[in-house]
């Protein structure tokens, strides 16, 4: 049923594990993260807490997660309900409506941490396995259909 997800996890370099900063979210994260780590044995796990709240309460959540999972919390994504409601009302991403939202700042920080962990993907074609070379092709080279007039 989840064959594609399991195959992707098996080859992952980084496993970003996102849990909500409330009791139900912490329980779900603690219960499911070991299962995800079994599917991605070579991936480096990063724990991200979503809807992070007040500092004192968040420290307690972080302590519980760190103790139960033996992994530190890497990043907190704060709760910015005004920005998310606005983005939902406009039918677009938060970054388009509120580019300086704490959610956007945290997402950019997470992306930069993952990129730093992975290194550069600027590799020559010869260094990439043949099975992955199609990923290096531009979008314009995919799906050449005469009927769709896509070149």
């Amino acid at each position: 049923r989840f064959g594609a997800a399991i195959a992707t996890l098996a080859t992952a370099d980084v496993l970003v594990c996102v849990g909500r900063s409330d009791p139900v979210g912490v329980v779900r994260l603690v219960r499911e993260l070991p299962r995800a780590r079994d599917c991605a044995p070579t991936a480096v796990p990063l724990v991200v807490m979503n809807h992070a709240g007040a500092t004192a309460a968040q420290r307690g959540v972080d302590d519980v997660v760190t103790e139960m999972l033996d992994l530190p919390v890497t990043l907190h994504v704060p709760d910015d309900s005004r920005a998310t409601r606005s983005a939902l009302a406009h039918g677009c991403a938060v970054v388009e409506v509120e580019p300086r939202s704490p959610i956007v700042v945290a997402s950019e920080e997470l992306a930069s941490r993952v990129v730093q962990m992975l290194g550069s993907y600027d590799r020559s074609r010869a260094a990439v396995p043949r099975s992955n070379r199609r990923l290096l092709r531009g979008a314009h080279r995919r799906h050449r259909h005469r009927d769709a007039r896509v070149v």
Side-chain angles (χ1 to χ4, degrees), residues 101-117:
S101 168
I103 294 172
V104 174
V105 172
S107 300
E108 289 172 350
E109 165 125 9
L110 176 61
S112 70
R113 286 187 187 194
V114 169
V115 167
Q116 287 173 359
M117 291 176 72

PDB file of all heavy atoms in Angstrom, residues 101-117:
ATOM      1  N   SER A 101       6.526  36.043   7.869  1.00  0.00           N
ATOM      2  CA  SER A 101       5.890  35.265   8.937  1.00  0.00           C
ATOM      3  C   SER A 101       6.917  34.362   9.624  1.00  0.00           C
ATOM      4  O   SER A 101       7.842  33.855   8.979  1.00  0.00           O
ATOM      5  CB  SER A 101       4.771  34.405   8.346  1.00  0.00           C
ATOM      6  OG  SER A 101       4.325  33.462   9.278  1.00  0.00           O
ATOM      7  N   PRO A 102       6.763  34.143  10.926  1.00  0.00           N
ATOM      8  CA  PRO A 102       7.672  33.218  11.620  1.00  0.00           C
ATOM      9  C   PRO A 102       7.649  31.806  11.027  1.00  0.00           C
ATOM     10  O   PRO A 102       8.645  31.095  11.084  1.00  0.00           O
ATOM     11  CB  PRO A 102       7.152  33.213  13.056  1.00  0.00           C
ATOM     12  CG  PRO A 102       6.367  34.457  13.210  1.00  0.00           C
ATOM     13  CD  PRO A 102       5.838  34.795  11.847  1.00  0.00           C
ATOM     14  N   ILE A 103       6.526  31.431  10.436  1.00  0.00           N
ATOM     15  CA  ILE A 103       6.445  30.113   9.793  1.00  0.00           C
ATOM     16  C   ILE A 103       7.392  30.063   8.596  1.00  0.00           C
ATOM     17  O   ILE A 103       8.110  29.082   8.386  1.00  0.00           O
ATOM     18  CB  ILE A 103       4.999  29.813   9.340  1.00  0.00           C
ATOM     19  CG1 ILE A 103       4.089  29.675  10.555  1.00  0.00           C
ATOM     20  CG2 ILE A 103       4.938  28.565   8.479  1.00  0.00           C
ATOM     21  CD1 ILE A 103       2.625  29.566  10.211  1.00  0.00           C
ATOM     22  N   VAL A 104       7.412  31.117   7.808  1.00  0.00           N
ATOM     23  CA  VAL A 104       8.283  31.182   6.630  1.00  0.00           C
ATOM     24  C   VAL A 104       9.744  31.187   7.063  1.00  0.00           C
ATOM     25  O   VAL A 104      10.578  30.482   6.489  1.00  0.00           O
ATOM     26  CB  VAL A 104       7.943  32.420   5.773  1.00  0.00           C
ATOM     27  CG1 VAL A 104       8.922  32.576   4.635  1.00  0.00           C
ATOM     28  CG2 VAL A 104       6.519  32.334   5.252  1.00  0.00           C
ATOM     29  N   VAL A 105      10.065  31.968   8.088  1.00  0.00           N
ATOM     30  CA  VAL A 105      11.439  32.035   8.584  1.00  0.00           C
ATOM     31  C   VAL A 105      11.897  30.651   9.068  1.00  0.00           C
ATOM     32  O   VAL A 105      13.000  30.201   8.742  1.00  0.00           O
ATOM     33  CB  VAL A 105      11.558  33.089   9.715  1.00  0.00           C
ATOM     34  CG1 VAL A 105      12.921  33.033  10.374  1.00  0.00           C
ATOM     35  CG2 VAL A 105      11.270  34.472   9.175  1.00  0.00           C
ATOM     36  N   ALA A 106      11.037  29.953   9.821  1.00  0.00           N
ATOM     37  CA  ALA A 106      11.390  28.617  10.321  1.00  0.00           C
ATOM     38  C   ALA A 106      11.532  27.620   9.176  1.00  0.00           C
ATOM     39  O   ALA A 106      12.433  26.774   9.184  1.00  0.00           O
ATOM     40  CB  ALA A 106      10.346  28.137  11.321  1.00  0.00           C
ATOM     41  N   SER A 107      10.668  27.713   8.179  1.00  0.00           N
ATOM     42  CA  SER A 107      10.752  26.805   7.022  1.00  0.00           C
ATOM     43  C   SER A 107      12.040  27.026   6.239  1.00  0.00           C
ATOM     44  O   SER A 107      12.681  26.059   5.798  1.00  0.00           O
ATOM     45  CB  SER A 107       9.550  26.999   6.104  1.00  0.00           C
ATOM     46  OG  SER A 107       8.362  26.734   6.786  1.00  0.00           O
ATOM     47  N   GLU A 108      12.429  28.289   6.073  1.00  0.00           N
ATOM     48  CA  GLU A 108      13.678  28.578   5.375  1.00  0.00           C
ATOM     49  C   GLU A 108      14.879  28.076   6.173  1.00  0.00           C
ATOM     50  O   GLU A 108      15.841  27.571   5.599  1.00  0.00           O
ATOM     51  CB  GLU A 108      13.794  30.077   5.112  1.00  0.00           C
ATOM     52  CG  GLU A 108      12.825  30.563   4.051  1.00  0.00           C
ATOM     53  CD  GLU A 108      12.780  32.069   3.915  1.00  0.00           C
ATOM     54  OE1 GLU A 108      13.367  32.777   4.770  1.00  0.00           O
ATOM     55  OE2 GLU A 108      12.148  32.545   2.959  1.00  0.00           O
ATOM     56  N   GLU A 109      14.811  28.210   7.490  1.00  0.00           N
ATOM     57  CA  GLU A 109      15.891  27.694   8.338  1.00  0.00           C
ATOM     58  C   GLU A 109      16.004  26.180   8.224  1.00  0.00           C
ATOM     59  O   GLU A 109      17.093  25.626   8.114  1.00  0.00           O
ATOM     60  CB  GLU A 109      15.646  28.087   9.792  1.00  0.00           C
ATOM     61  CG  GLU A 109      16.490  27.309  10.744  1.00  0.00           C
ATOM     62  CD  GLU A 109      17.315  28.197  11.642  1.00  0.00           C
ATOM     63  OE1 GLU A 109      17.123  29.409  11.641  1.00  0.00           O
ATOM     64  OE2 GLU A 109      18.159  27.629  12.325  1.00  0.00           O
ATOM     65  N   LEU A 110      14.867  25.489   8.219  1.00  0.00           N
ATOM     66  CA  LEU A 110      14.875  24.028   8.067  1.00  0.00           C
ATOM     67  C   LEU A 110      15.466  23.639   6.719  1.00  0.00           C
ATOM     68  O   LEU A 110      16.304  22.739   6.637  1.00  0.00           O
ATOM     69  CB  LEU A 110      13.467  23.470   8.212  1.00  0.00           C
ATOM     70  CG  LEU A 110      13.313  21.971   7.991  1.00  0.00           C
ATOM     71  CD1 LEU A 110      14.139  21.183   9.002  1.00  0.00           C
ATOM     72  CD2 LEU A 110      11.851  21.571   8.060  1.00  0.00           C
ATOM     73  N   ALA A 111      15.049  24.327   5.666  1.00  0.00           N
ATOM     74  CA  ALA A 111      15.575  24.025   4.331  1.00  0.00           C
ATOM     75  C   ALA A 111      17.080  24.235   4.276  1.00  0.00           C
ATOM     76  O   ALA A 111      17.808  23.417   3.707  1.00  0.00           O
ATOM     77  CB  ALA A 111      14.878  24.894   3.285  1.00  0.00           C
ATOM     78  N   SER A 112      17.571  25.307   4.884  1.00  0.00           N
ATOM     79  CA  SER A 112      19.019  25.556   4.848  1.00  0.00           C
ATOM     80  C   SER A 112      19.775  24.504   5.653  1.00  0.00           C
ATOM     81  O   SER A 112      20.866  24.085   5.266  1.00  0.00           O
ATOM     82  CB  SER A 112      19.348  26.962   5.345  1.00  0.00           C
ATOM     83  OG  SER A 112      19.124  27.072   6.725  1.00  0.00           O
ATOM     84  N   ARG A 113      19.206  24.041   6.753  1.00  0.00           N
ATOM     85  CA  ARG A 113      19.872  22.986   7.532  1.00  0.00           C
ATOM     86  C   ARG A 113      19.940  21.682   6.751  1.00  0.00           C
ATOM     87  O   ARG A 113      20.953  20.992   6.783  1.00  0.00           O
ATOM     88  CB  ARG A 113      19.150  22.758   8.856  1.00  0.00           C
ATOM     89  CG  ARG A 113      19.388  23.861   9.841  1.00  0.00           C
ATOM     90  CD  ARG A 113      18.813  23.523  11.173  1.00  0.00           C
ATOM     91  NE  ARG A 113      18.908  24.665  12.067  1.00  0.00           N
ATOM     92  CZ  ARG A 113      18.727  24.600  13.356  1.00  0.00           C
ATOM     93  NH1 ARG A 113      18.426  23.461  13.924  1.00  0.00           N
ATOM     94  NH2 ARG A 113      18.828  25.673  14.098  1.00  0.00           N
ATOM     95  N   VAL A 114      18.861  21.350   6.074  1.00  0.00           N
ATOM     96  CA  VAL A 114      18.863  20.112   5.271  1.00  0.00           C
ATOM     97  C   VAL A 114      19.873  20.226   4.145  1.00  0.00           C
ATOM     98  O   VAL A 114      20.638  19.292   3.887  1.00  0.00           O
ATOM     99  CB  VAL A 114      17.442  19.816   4.734  1.00  0.00           C
ATOM    100  CG1 VAL A 114      17.473  18.700   3.702  1.00  0.00           C
ATOM    101  CG2 VAL A 114      16.504  19.453   5.876  1.00  0.00           C
ATOM    102  N   VAL A 115      19.918  21.368   3.463  1.00  0.00           N
ATOM    103  CA  VAL A 115      20.878  21.558   2.370  1.00  0.00           C
ATOM    104  C   VAL A 115      22.308  21.471   2.894  1.00  0.00           C
ATOM    105  O   VAL A 115      23.175  20.875   2.257  1.00  0.00           O
ATOM    106  CB  VAL A 115      20.617  22.895   1.642  1.00  0.00           C
ATOM    107  CG1 VAL A 115      21.765  23.259   0.725  1.00  0.00           C
ATOM    108  CG2 VAL A 115      19.319  22.822   0.868  1.00  0.00           C
ATOM    109  N   GLN A 116      22.589  22.063   4.049  1.00  0.00           N
ATOM    110  CA  GLN A 116      23.931  21.978   4.629  1.00  0.00           C
ATOM    111  C   GLN A 116      24.313  20.542   4.944  1.00  0.00           C
ATOM    112  O   GLN A 116      25.468  20.148   4.772  1.00  0.00           O
ATOM    113  CB  GLN A 116      24.019  22.813   5.899  1.00  0.00           C
ATOM    114  CG  GLN A 116      24.030  24.291   5.665  1.00  0.00           C
ATOM    115  CD  GLN A 116      23.948  25.068   6.968  1.00  0.00           C
ATOM    116  OE1 GLN A 116      23.859  24.496   8.044  1.00  0.00           O
ATOM    117  NE2 GLN A 116      23.957  26.386   6.859  1.00  0.00           N
ATOM    118  N   MET A 117      23.343  19.751   5.397  1.00  0.00           N
ATOM    119  CA  MET A 117      23.622  18.356   5.729  1.00  0.00           C
ATOM    120  C   MET A 117      23.909  17.529   4.482  1.00  0.00           C
ATOM    121  O   MET A 117      24.708  16.603   4.513  1.00  0.00           O
ATOM    122  CB  MET A 117      22.452  17.739   6.481  1.00  0.00           C
ATOM    123  CG  MET A 117      22.272  18.303   7.862  1.00  0.00           C
ATOM    124  SD  MET A 117      20.817  17.643   8.654  1.00  0.00           S
ATOM    125  CE  MET A 117      21.368  15.974   8.980  1.00  0.00           C
TER     126      MET A 117
END
